[in-house]
Amino acid sequence: MTKNEANREHTRFEISVRSLAEHVHRTGGLSPLSFSGISGSDGTRLHTRVFSDLKKQYRPTDVETEVSLSAENVDGDLTLVIRGRADCVIHLRDSSNTDEIMILEVKSCNSDFTEISEILQPVHWAQLMLYAHMFFEQNAGYASVQISLRYVSIETLKYVEEKKTVLSYEAEEFFKKTCGAYTAFARDLVTYQKMRDETIRSLVFPHTNLRAGQKVFMQDVLATISHRSTLFVEAPTGIGKTISTLFPAVKCLAHGKCERIFYLTAKTATRVVARKALSDMRENGLLLRSITLQSKESLCPCPEIYCDTKQCAYAAQYYTRLPKAIRELLLHYEITPEIVLAAAKANTICPHELSLDISLYCDVIIGDYNHAFNPRVRLERYFVQPDQHHVLLVDEAHNLVDRSRDMFSASLLKSSLTACQKAVMGMDARVDGHIADIRSYFQILADSMRREEDGISLVEHDIAAKDVMVAPSFRAARFVPKTLYKILWKFCYFIRPMLDALPTGPIRTSVLDFYFDVRFFLTILEQHFDDAYVLTAEMIEGNASAGMDTELIISLACLDASAKIHRIISDHHAAVFFSATLSPANYYTTMLLGDKNAAEAATLTLSSPFPPENLKVGILKSIKTTYQERNFSVEKVTDAIFSVTQDKVGNYMIYLPSFAYLKMLSESVQKRCRDRGNQPVDFLVQTPSMNKKQKDLFLSRFEEFGNRTLYAFAVLGGHFGEGIDLVGERLSGVIIVGVGLPLLCPQREIMRQYFQEKFGEGFAFAYRFPGWEKVLQAAGRVIRDEEDTGFVLLMDERYDKPEYQMLFPDHWHPDVMDRPEDFETDFSK
């Protein structure tokens, strides 16, 4: 050994058994449908059932489950530490009580198989061989063990299995060979991590001055990560929320307080801000790898194949070609979707799967809420193992309340059922029969709704008519649909063997669309359904002359996903939920963690860093905008708009509670301008279903200011209600008409009843607080930096009531008035 070798620092590098086996032994293409669509919770449920059956087959004390195993491989200055948990270690005792060992690995699959050769994956055998060596290392005295690989159908629990006996020297030889194939790659990762940690330790805050509130913000984020707890931060525009969360989180990486940082957003624009914050730190010397994820649909080079791994050229040899693509991407520190696409096309592999596989080597993952919270598409590789500890930075967290409800809701559409039925008709009589049962369920429900009967009690006999909520074209009941569950389960069982053989094209797409919707519907029923769910049926009448059939939608609507969100982060991950609008705090902590867990979270409310005198807030209490009063209020609102804007040419946003009211008011203001004819005025009017080009054109008009007044009409809570940055003279003031209450509808009324039963505050949780969120977001468009000045005028008598006054931010000092001419908007005085 040379002197340099003796002085070389010895490094320990940890890796899981599964990751090691996959890196070295996985080849071929992406898995077919046999392994797709199986969530972590599906797998956990199946494993629990298998373990229970094994304890009945053997003595319970002879069956050990989730057995922790580890072993080390030393190669010069590098020690690989391999850890994992074997599914089962079974003591096979014969009549003489001789102890033999069987190590059993259970893999979930979608179908029944008669021969293991139909499904066997060599990488799974490799994982078992590694477990065998690790067992020998920790248990002296055994010369051999049995290893068994069992593939179990999640639908029927039938399985195929293969066993063989492994000698200790065979397992050791396989282990050393596998580790040897990984060592060079591990050295590269170690080198990167050392460089990363050195740059993190020397990293200084990338901006010259800390803004007011930033220091305490970052201190609280550090404490949250250190204690693996939860923090809610309301930080007004200008605090620097993105850098205030990312900078301390990055610092924690070097101290081993987390494995990865997930920066999660609702919109693409905020992901750009996160990338910019990392770029600023890199300019200060940070060396760190990050990736921005995009949806599968946006990355797919051939969507018409519908992920048919037998047909897709990008799937066929995915794992064989993956190592080269990984090496190419590891040359980048900021990995964008464009870079992933280029590497995927160059290597002819699936860009979506490549983005997920390269994310394993990234420290910061920028993505959507779905990547962590949505049970249908979340990144299982990061959120199912209890020993994984990440940081979740949830930007614009007020959006997660509604988004989380949607994530945990499931729907079935009659149109999707019809398309599936047409696609498979005549292929299998049993499948035809079960689809006919589902169609009959839909038809009986639809016919009874047309007859103005409750409908649900006719298809679900355990549900009494008196327990069904009846509204026009809408029905709801707080019961488990047992009949629907049975017929859907039978459909899945009998159609599953057909799926892999379906030809590429519209037939396959129609069948898989409905099949996966049904599978998710069943998953919600089996794993998530609780008292926060309601079964609903909504009928949308078609237009025969336009060729549109009547649509019937049956849903499991989640009213409150807080328990699900809490379950994901509790005890595993540090979470920081932050936004400019998280008020009242108890509403958001309750809606995202649950009433029983809300007290676990720390809360931080920061004041605006901008001079309070730069924002003038007024309340025009003489205006009534309830639904019954809207037709009568248009003239008064029109008068008020001209009163507060006539003294200054400027750009003004006028927010309305609905498109119907928006149409009435915009027409009234335009008519008034035509009648006066003495001032050049431009108008922008938001319309439903605007595309990106139309939205961009709408916002581009704000780049002009000073010469002509602009009145821009938009709906509260819509695309222009948040997430737009109109600095300086681009926006002079905001007028908000109404208090933003959500539309009165059966779905919202059910939510009101639910929260009334739970908290005694049904109206506040279902209407007032969600409406106030829209108001705060709209008002937040006015002041965007230190030099900005502008006004917010709130038009509605309800703003002068205590239940709204208590919600106002501390930096608001509103003037309450009866006449709009009393509102002073001139900042020169």
Side-chain angles (χ1 to χ4, degrees), residues 50 100 181 214 309 335 345 357 380 528 552 743 769 796:
V50 171
E100 294 185 11
Q214 255 186 332
T309 55
I335 301 175
K345 289 181 179 178
D357 282 327
E380 297 281 359
H528 301 292
L552 179 63
L743 181 68
F769 296 154
D796 195 292

Side-chain angles (χ1 to χ4, degrees), residues 298-329:
S298 65
L299 289 174
C300 183
C302 41
E304 69 282 355
I305 293 177
Y306 202 94
C307 285
D308 184 347
T309 55
K310 294 180 179 179
Q311 300 288 328
C312 182
Y314 292 86
Q317 290 296 316
Y318 178 84
Y319 292 115
T320 302
R321 298 167 180 163
L322 178 63
K324 180 174 180 291
I326 292 290
R327 288 195 298 272
E328 292 172 6
L329 289 177

Side-chain angles (χ1 to χ4, degrees), residues 259-260 289-291 335 358-365:
E259 293 178 38
R260 283 180 184 81
R289 190 172 291 115
S290 65
I291 185 170
I335 301 175
I358 192 61
S359 73
L360 292 166
Y361 308 104
C362 295
D363 304 294
V364 179
I365 298 175

